[in-house]
Amino acid sequence: MPSRRQDVAATCAPAKNLNSAFPRFATAHDVYAHLRSISKNESKEFVVRNFVCVIDDIRPESSLVETELFPRGAIEFYTAKNMGWQYTQEQYDEWFLPERGGEQGDYREGMPEKIANVIDCLKNEPLSKRAIIPIPFNSEGSETVDWRNQGQTKCCRELHLYLEDGVLKCTGIVRMQNANIFVKNIHFFATLLQQVAQALEVELGEYTHWITNLCFDRDATSC
């Protein structure tokens, strides 16, 4: 009997994924250490541009990277918040801090509906290239973009989900990544992807992370 992955693979488009040329890391733990290393500099304004990598294991349990700024409780709180799940005022009071990311890192609005749309897309059309999680402009169009408005200049811009080789894969496009905030973002992405994979009854595949601007922390100007 063919496996579930073989069944799904039969519905996937033939593909050549050029991310094979990018640096590969086993888990988010390895990526975090690398991002901190390459972005550390005497100047707070130092920027690494167009960093791209592939994470082989993007499961949430492999993507929970605890740091001094982000202990487990903080990571799980922010993931729940961005997934659009319920949280208590007590949890908010305990874990919310401006230095853990403000409006730019708040992806909550409309997220359950966006996830449901992706699931519907890939269930009904496994060949689709339209399974996206758009982040900014939840209630306004892009014609109103204002660089001074942190709510419009979200750090993550879009997640592109696709079925390839019988598994769910994703490419994330990030405008700005502070290395010390990466651990919050990647656990949220991993949790989102797992929810979609479970709904589609497929395994999680690799994740490609594209960062246009990488800085060491939030001290850089106009992050």
Side-chain angles (χ1 to χ4, degrees):
M1 291 286 293
S3 67
R4 172 62 180 162
R5 179 166 179 170
Q6 289 172 324
D7 288 341
V8 175
T11 67
C12 296
K16 180 177 182 180
N17 198 327
L18 297 181
N19 72 359
S20 59
F22 301 146
R24 300 187 78 91
F25 297 87
T27 70
H29 293 261
D30 303 313
V31 178
Y32 172 70
H34 185 69
L35 295 181
R36 294 286 283 178
S37 173
I38 65 173
S39 62
K40 188 173 180 60
N41 190 272
E42 292 180 358
S43 171
K44 71 173 186 177
E45 305 297 351
F46 181 70
V47 184
V48 176
R49 290 214 162 92
N50 294 311
F51 172 85
V52 190
C53 74
V54 181
I55 302 176
D56 290 323
D57 183 356
I58 194 63
R59 292 174 301 161
E61 60 266 30
S62 300
S63 303
L64 200 157
V65 185
E66 292 190 78
T67 66
E68 184 176 350
L69 181 60
F70 284 102
R72 174 183 287 267
I75 292 173
E76 292 178 342
F77 164 74
Y78 276 98
T79 290
K81 186 173 184 292
N82 282 325
M83 288 291 291
W85 298 343
Q86 294 298 313
Y87 59 87
T88 66
Q89 185 62 46
E90 289 75 16
Q91 289 172 317
Y92 180 91
D93 293 341
E94 181 176 7
W95 298 116
F96 181 84
L97 288 175
E99 53 265 42
R100 290 177 175 151
E103 282 189 285
Q104 288 179 312
D106 186 350
Y107 308 135
R108 179 180 178 85
E109 186 176 353
M111 189 54 64
E113 292 79 11
K114 295 174 186 180
I115 294 171
N117 178 66
V118 163
I119 293 169
D120 181 65
C121 174
L122 293 177
K123 272 188 175 180
N124 287 282
E125 182 48 87
L127 298 174
S128 182
K129 294 82 176 168
R130 300 177 182 174
I132 62 169
I133 302 285
I135 300 296
F137 310 116
N138 294 301
S139 56
E140 302 175 67
S142 60
E143 68 275 6
T144 64
V145 64
D146 181 355
W147 70 272
R148 298 173 181 84
N149 185 335
Q150 291 193 25
Q152 288 187 350
T153 54
K154 302 288 188 185
C155 293
C156 179
R157 308 306 292 175
E158 204 159 75
L159 298 177
H160 304 160
L161 288 75
Y162 44 94
L163 292 169
E164 184 178 282
D165 301 327
V167 298
L168 178 69
K169 299 184 181 182
C170 178
T171 299
I173 309 298
V174 181
R175 173 191 65 80
M176 175 68 222
Q177 180 74 80
N178 293 116
N180 64 340
I181 304 290
F182 169 79
V183 299
K184 178 184 80 169
N185 294 340
I186 202 65
H187 188 261
F188 162 55
F189 298 163
T191 302
L192 186 157
L193 293 174
Q194 177 175 261
Q195 181 172 323
V196 175
Q198 288 175 341
L200 297 174
E201 299 182 349
V202 300
E203 296 177 16
L204 268 180
E206 66 199 17
Y207 167 75
T208 303
H209 195 58
W210 188 296
I211 304 171
T212 303
N213 303 284
L214 168 67
C215 293
F216 188 72
D217 56 30
R218 289 171 57 84
D219 288 339
T221 302
S222 290
C223 291

